[in-house]
Amino acid sequence: MTESAADKPESGDACRHAANGVKPSRNGFAKNRCRQPQHRYREEKVYPTACNGGLYSRPFHESFEETPMLVAVLTYMGYGILTIFGYLRDFLRAWKIERCHIAREREEQKDFVPLYQDFENFYTRNLYMRIRDSWNRPICSVPGAKLDLAERVSHDYNWTFEYTGRAVKDVINMGSYNYLGFAENSGACAEAAANVTLKYGVGVCSTRQEIGNLDRHEELEKLVAKFLGVESAMAFGMGFATNSMNIPALTGKGCLILSDELNHASLVLGARLSGSSIRIFKHNNMQSLEKLLGDAIVNGQPRTHRPWKKILIVVEGIYSMEGSIVRLPEVIALKKKYKAFLYLDEAHSIGALGTSGRGVVDYFGLDPRDVDIMMGTFTKSFGAAGGYIGGKKELIDYLRTHSHSAVYATSISPPVAEQIITSMKCIMGEDGTTLGCERIRQLAENTIYFRRRLQEMGFIIYGNSDSPVVPMMLYMPAKIGAFGREMLKRNIGVVVVGFPATPIIESRARFCVSAAHTKEISNKPSPPLHQRS
C-alpha cells in the first residue's frame, strides 16, 4: 500500500491526478481497482507520506466501494415494490378495509395547511413502520461492552409496542459511541461522580452567568484547554447546541460558510441560523473546496462583489455515517492559502484518534493552533454529556458573552462534569495510572481487527482503516430490518440506517468499536430466547 522512492510524486499537485489515466473517484481520488481475496472490486484511496508536499506524516487509507450495478437495480426494485404495496394499502385504508393507526388530520381540518408532507407521511406509514422495531429500543443498563434491552412486542405490525416486563440480557453493544469504555457504573469515574453528587447535588438550576458557575466547571475548562493544547476552552451542557448555538455567534450576514456535504445536522442548523451564505463542497474533496475558496476570493459577495467579511470552513474529524477521517493537513493548507477560518467538529474523533487520544489533530501530528475553532463533545469517548469549544483566549471570551448556549442554557450537571474531569485525567495519565493509554491502544487494536475480520468475511465496509466507526453496507431495504433482528437473535445490538438518512441505494449497518470490547465477548454463546430473563 506504500510506494517506492522512484514512484513518489515530486510536487504537491501530483496527488491530484489519477495514476495511469484512471479517472478520479467521487471523492476526488484515483480508484485503485485490485483483486481482493473475496473476488470483489474495491475502491482504495491511499495518501502516501510524500503526497501534497509532505503534508501527511503517515499513510492514509480509505475505502468506498461503488455500489454494484446489479445490487443498485435490485435495491431500486425493492423500494419500487414497497411503494406499490404502500399505495395498495392506502387504498384499502381509504375504503376502511384496513385500519390506519398513524396520526392524521381530521376531515374538518382538510382546508388547513397540512401538518405532514404527503410523501413523508406515506414513507412513514408504509416503509418505516415495517422495520420500526429496529429503532428506539429502550435499554435498561449501563451502555458498556454489553447491555440489557427491555423486551417489547407488537401485535399491530409495529404501530404500537407493549413491554413484556422481561429484559434481553448481555447484548453485545455495537451501537453506542463508548469508544474508550468510560460508560460504566463502577470504577474511578463512577465513584468520583457519586461523591460529587453527594456534595453538589444533581442539578445546578441556573446559567453560568448567574449563579450556576461551579468550581468544577472552572477546573473542567482549564483541563480541556490543557488537553487540547489551546489557550482557553469553554464547556456547554449539550453537544448539539454547542454547534447550533455557537456558529451563529461566530458568523453572520456578509460571511461565507463552506460546509462538507456530509456534516452533522447540528452544523447544518448552526450554519442556517447564522444567516451566513452557505456553499457545500463534496465530501473530503479538496479540489471542490479549493474551487469554492477561489471563487469566493475572486467574486466576493453576490450582486455587490464586496469581499466576504469572513470565510469559515466547517468539517468534522470523523464522519459518523461514512467512517471517514477528514483530510485535515490539506484543509489547513487551503485555509492558510486563502486566509480563511477553520471550524473542526471532533465529536467522534476526540479520544478515539491519536496516540494520546487528542483527536484528529494528534492523529496527523499537527499544531492545534492551526485550527481556529476546535469543537468536540463529551458524549462519546468520555462517557458523559455536553460539548466544548477551544481556541484562542479572545475567541472564548467573545463566546462567553455572545453565545446563546452560554448565556441562556443551564450549566453542566456536577456529576457529569466530574465524570468528564476524571475520564480526561485518566486519558492524560494524570490519575497516576496507564489505564488511559491502554484504552487508547486497545481501541486502535480492536478497530483494525474488527475491520480486517469483516473484510475477510466478504462484507463491504466503508471508511478509514483507523476509524472506530465502521459502516457495513446492506443496500436493499429488506435487509435493514432483517439484519437488525437477526443480530439481536444472536445477542448483538447494532444500528441499522437507511433512506433518507443515507442515499437510497446505500443502506447500511453502523458498528461502533469500543476499547471495552474483547475477542472473548463474541466467543461466548448467546442464551436461547426462551431462557432470557
Side-chain angles (χ1 to χ4, degrees):
M1 303 302 291
T2 58
E3 50 183 16
S4 64
D7 296 328
K8 290 180 180 179
E10 297 178 356
S11 67
D13 292 330
C15 289
R16 297 183 186 178
H17 304 288
N20 301 321
V22 181
K23 294 182 179 180
S25 72
R26 62 184 176 94
N27 286 335
F29 305 104
K31 298 178 184 178
N32 178 16
R33 296 187 178 274
C34 53
R35 283 287 187 181
Q36 299 293 317
Q38 296 83 17
H39 303 288
R40 180 181 286 116
Y41 286 113
R42 299 193 62 81
E43 177 187 338
E44 197 82 19
K45 290 97 175 178
V46 183
Y47 311 86
T49 56
C51 216
N52 297 287
L55 291 178
Y56 290 90
S57 60
R58 55 187 296 170
F60 188 63
H61 307 264
E62 288 195 347
S63 175
F64 297 91
E65 181 171 336
E66 290 186 351
T67 305
M69 181 60 69
L70 177 61
V71 174
V73 170
L74 293 175
T75 302
Y76 281 121
M77 287 179 59
Y79 277 103
I81 294 171
L82 286 174
T83 302
I84 293 172
F85 275 90
Y87 281 114
L88 175 61
R89 295 185 70 183
D90 277 355
F91 175 80
L92 297 176
R93 292 171 188 140
W95 287 90
K96 311 298 183 183
I97 299 175
E98 180 181 341
R99 185 180 177 186
C100 182
H101 300 265
I102 199 168
R104 52 186 175 179
E105 289 85 359
R106 292 176 294 182
E107 286 297 324
E108 55 268 29
Q109 294 178 321
K110 62 181 180 180
D111 294 329
F112 286 71
V113 176
L115 294 176
Y116 310 101
Q117 296 181 2
D118 287 342
F119 180 74
E120 179 182 341
N121 207 10
F122 174 84
Y123 187 89
T124 301
R125 287 195 309 271
N126 300 296
L127 282 80
Y128 170 72
M129 281 296 173
R130 293 175 178 268
I131 52 178
R132 187 183 172 208
D133 58 300
S134 299
W135 294 288
N136 307 320
R137 291 171 177 162
I139 69 172
C140 46
S141 70
V142 63
K146 292 185 177 181
L147 51 76
D148 298 339
L149 290 176
E151 189 178 71
R152 61 180 183 175
V153 296
S154 176
H155 303 291
D156 52 8
Y157 305 102
N158 292 339
W159 291 99
T160 60
F161 292 97
E162 295 180 3
Y163 294 99
T164 64
R166 298 188 298 271
V168 183
K169 295 284 188 179
D170 296 329
V171 177
I172 299 176
N173 182 10
M174 297 300 299
S176 297
Y177 307 127
N178 184 26
Y179 296 129
L180 293 181
F182 283 113
E184 50 194 0
N185 54 7
S186 62
C189 292
E191 293 174 2
N195 293 333
V196 166
T197 303
L198 294 176
K199 180 179 180 180
Y200 293 90
V202 174
V204 183
C205 304
S206 182
T207 66
R208 293 285 298 276
Q209 290 194 352
E210 294 172 343
I211 201 169
N213 190 29
L214 304 179
D215 57 346
R216 309 312 295 159
H217 297 142
E218 297 287 342
E219 180 181 350
L220 170 60
E221 291 177 343
K222 292 178 181 177
L223 188 64
V224 170
K226 181 180 178 182
F227 181 67
L228 298 176
V230 296
E231 292 180 8
S232 184
M234 185 175 182
F236 303 88
M238 182 181 179
F240 191 98
T242 305
N243 279 330
S244 59
M245 292 291 100
N246 282 290
I247 293 179
L250 297 170
T251 64
K253 188 176 180 180
C255 298
L256 175 64
I257 294 178
L258 302 180
S259 177
D260 190 290
E261 65 179 345
L262 296 183
N263 275 342
H264 189 262
S266 60
L267 294 169
V268 175
L269 178 60
R272 291 175 177 174
L273 291 176
S274 71
S276 305
S277 297
I278 304 172
R279 302 287 184 271
I280 308 300
F281 63 91
K282 295 179 181 179
H283 174 57
N284 245 354
N285 189 317
M286 296 302 104
Q287 289 71 45
S288 176
L289 174 59
E290 185 167 15
K291 183 179 185 303
L292 290 177
L293 283 167
D295 291 344
I297 298 297
V298 171
N299 300 321
Q301 299 184 39
R303 295 188 299 275
T304 64
H305 300 292
R306 293 177 179 174
W308 294 100
K309 296 179 181 178
K310 194 182 301 177
I311 299 177
L312 181 66
I313 303 171
V314 180
V315 295
E316 294 187 48
I318 293 179
Y319 292 85
S320 59
M321 279 298 170
E322 300 294 315
S324 58
I325 297 176
V326 65
R327 296 166 58 190
L328 191 59
E330 294 176 74
V331 175
I332 290 177
L334 290 176
K335 165 235 169 186
K336 291 180 177 180
K337 179 179 179 181
Y338 292 95
K339 302 298 188 292
F341 295 95
L342 176 59
Y343 187 107
L344 174 62
D345 179 345
E346 291 218 76
H348 287 270
S349 55
I350 192 69
L353 286 180
T355 55
S356 58
R358 286 171 169 80
V360 69
V361 176
D362 179 29
Y363 176 78
F364 287 112
L366 302 173
D367 188 343
R369 291 174 295 183
D370 288 335
V371 180
D372 301 287
I373 304 104
M374 299 186 69
M375 177 272 171
T377 64
F378 304 121
T379 59
K380 299 167 178 65
S381 294
F382 303 96
Y388 66 82
I389 284 184
K392 293 183 178 180
K393 188 177 185 301
E394 296 89 337
L395 168 71
I396 303 304
D397 290 343
Y398 174 84
L399 288 177
R400 290 190 191 278
T401 56
H402 289 81
S403 168
H404 283 74
S405 186
V407 176
Y408 299 109
T410 305
S411 306
I412 296 178
S413 173
V416 172
E418 192 64 24
Q419 164 77 19
I420 302 167
I421 292 171
T422 309
S423 58
M424 190 172 291
K425 285 183 176 179
C426 181
I427 296 173
M428 299 170 68
E430 292 188 1
D431 62 341
T433 70
T434 59
L435 179 61
C437 294
E438 293 171 1
R439 293 193 183 206
I440 294 169
R441 185 177 64 254
Q442 186 64 51
L443 173 63
E445 293 176 358
N446 287 352
T447 297
I448 294 173
Y449 173 78
F450 187 73
R451 282 182 169 272
R452 177 172 57 83
R453 290 292 293 129
L454 284 180
Q455 289 177 330
E456 289 174 353
M457 295 168 68
F459 291 108
I460 300 174
I461 61 174
Y462 274 9
N464 193 281
S465 57
D466 293 323
S467 170
V469 179
V470 187
M472 190 188 80
M473 306 311 294
L474 299 176
Y475 298 115
M476 301 180 190
K479 288 185 177 181
I480 300 174
F483 185 82
R485 296 176 189 127
E486 288 299 320
M487 293 294 281
L488 186 57
K489 288 180 182 179
R490 291 157 175 78
N491 260 37
I492 302 175
V494 300
V495 173
V496 288
V497 191
F499 179 82
T502 66
I504 195 168
I505 60 172
E506 292 185 7
S507 300
R508 65 197 66 179
R510 185 185 64 182
F511 299 96
C512 292
V513 183
S514 171
H517 291 139
T518 63
K519 296 178 182 178
E520 289 72 22
I521 288 179
S522 60
N523 294 331
K524 183 178 179 180
S526 303
L529 284 172
H530 67 275
Q531 291 184 6
R532 299 179 186 178
S533 58

